[in-house]
């Protein structure tokens, strides 16, 4: 299975900060990468697919980049509703696998 | 707006079969290019992909669960289902159903990204 490693595993940030989360694949996955946001007790919400394409209705403060093995999710200006855990997922090969998550907390 | 809703027993005894259903509303399960998927999450842990079924009925399963998993679709009810046999405590988790939409990228070809999720249902395996 392809291993997805996210860093950091957690971070503290303030409202208005620019936040970047990194996801690294154990082998090349082209751009078959998605990002999800999950709040406590809730289902994940899809943010990005194909590494950089925003899902419908997702605000443009979220952006994704990368290809091959290294990917990033950036939140341009952190808002209170953005405090959550973020997961990456590769779907280049079976089985699709998720990163361990990055918890974004309030500083 | 597509909506997905999981249903099924919240408690299953060890060695028995876990059965869940996902009801899709806001669109036909048999139209379009979609994969209907199951994903689970043990309490306090990460996400694990279980498997999926395509609109045509073809399936893909996680090799780690393949011998125990069956995913099927009932187009007349606009539902798809998950069966996981011989369960143990390790199968205790929140189970999500989700949809993956097929897209075409001019550089990389076809892909299928998860877009809509159900709210999830907790299944506990215990005697």
């Amino acid at each position: 299975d392809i291993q997805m490693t996210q860093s950091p595993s957690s971070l503290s940030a303030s409202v208005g900060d620019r936040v970047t989360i990194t996801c690294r694949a154990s082998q090349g996955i082209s751009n078959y990468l998605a990002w999800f946001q999950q709040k406590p007790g809730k289902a994940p919400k899809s943010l990005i697919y194909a590494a950089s394409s925003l899902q419908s209705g997702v605000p443009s403060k979220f952006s994704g980049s990368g290809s091959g093995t290294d990917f990033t999710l950036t939140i341009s200006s952190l808002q209170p509703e953005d405090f959550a855990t973020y997961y990456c997922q590769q779907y280049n090969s079976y089985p699709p696998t998720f990163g361990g998550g990055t918890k974004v907390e309030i500083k | 707006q597509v909506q997905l809703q999981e249903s099924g027993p919240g408690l299953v005894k060890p060695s028995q079969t876990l059965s869940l259903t996902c009801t899709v509303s806001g669109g036909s399960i048999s139209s379009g290019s979609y994969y209907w998927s199951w994903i689970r999450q043990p309490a306090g842990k990460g996400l694990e992909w279980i498997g999926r079924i395509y609109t045509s009925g073809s399936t893909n399963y996680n090799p780690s669960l393949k011998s125990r998993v069956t995913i099927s679709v009932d187009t007349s009810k606009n539902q798809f289902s998950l069966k996981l046999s011989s369960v143990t405590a390790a199968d205790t988790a929140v189970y999500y159903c989700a949809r993956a939409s097929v897209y075409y990228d001019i550089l990389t070809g076809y892909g299928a990204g998860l877009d809509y999720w159900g709210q999830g249902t907790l299944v506990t395996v215990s005697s």
Side-chain angles (χ1 to χ4, degrees), chain B residues 4-86:
Chain B
L4 295 88
Q5 177 69 58
E6 305 88 350
S7 59
L11 181 64
V12 181
K13 288 182 167 52
S15 80
Q16 293 191 343
T17 296
L18 178 161
S19 296
L20 295 175
T21 296
C22 182
T23 301
V24 179
S25 58
S28 172
I29 201 170
S30 57
S31 65
S33 298
Y34 303 115
Y35 287 94
W36 303 97
S37 310
W38 288 97
I39 295 135
R40 68 181 183 179
Q41 184 174 35
K45 297 187 178 181
L47 298 155
E48 180 181 31
W49 184 86
I50 299 171
R52 67 185 189 182
I53 187 164
Y54 189 55
T55 307
S56 65
S58 64
T59 54
N60 303 108
Y61 299 131
N62 191 322
S64 69
L65 300 168
K66 187 174 183 177
S67 63
R68 300 193 290 131
V69 172
T70 302
I71 296 175
S72 59
V73 65
D74 186 338
T75 55
S76 67
K77 296 181 179 179
N78 227 38
Q79 296 175 334
F80 64 106
S81 299
L82 168 71
K83 290 188 185 301
L84 181 65
S85 64
S86 305

Side-chain angles (χ1 to χ4, degrees), chain A residues 27-40:
Chain A
Q27 63 190 73
I29 59 169
S30 185
N31 73 340
Y32 294 108
L33 184 104
W35 289 98
F36 306 94
Q37 176 195 66
Q38 187 176 36
K39 297 180 179 179

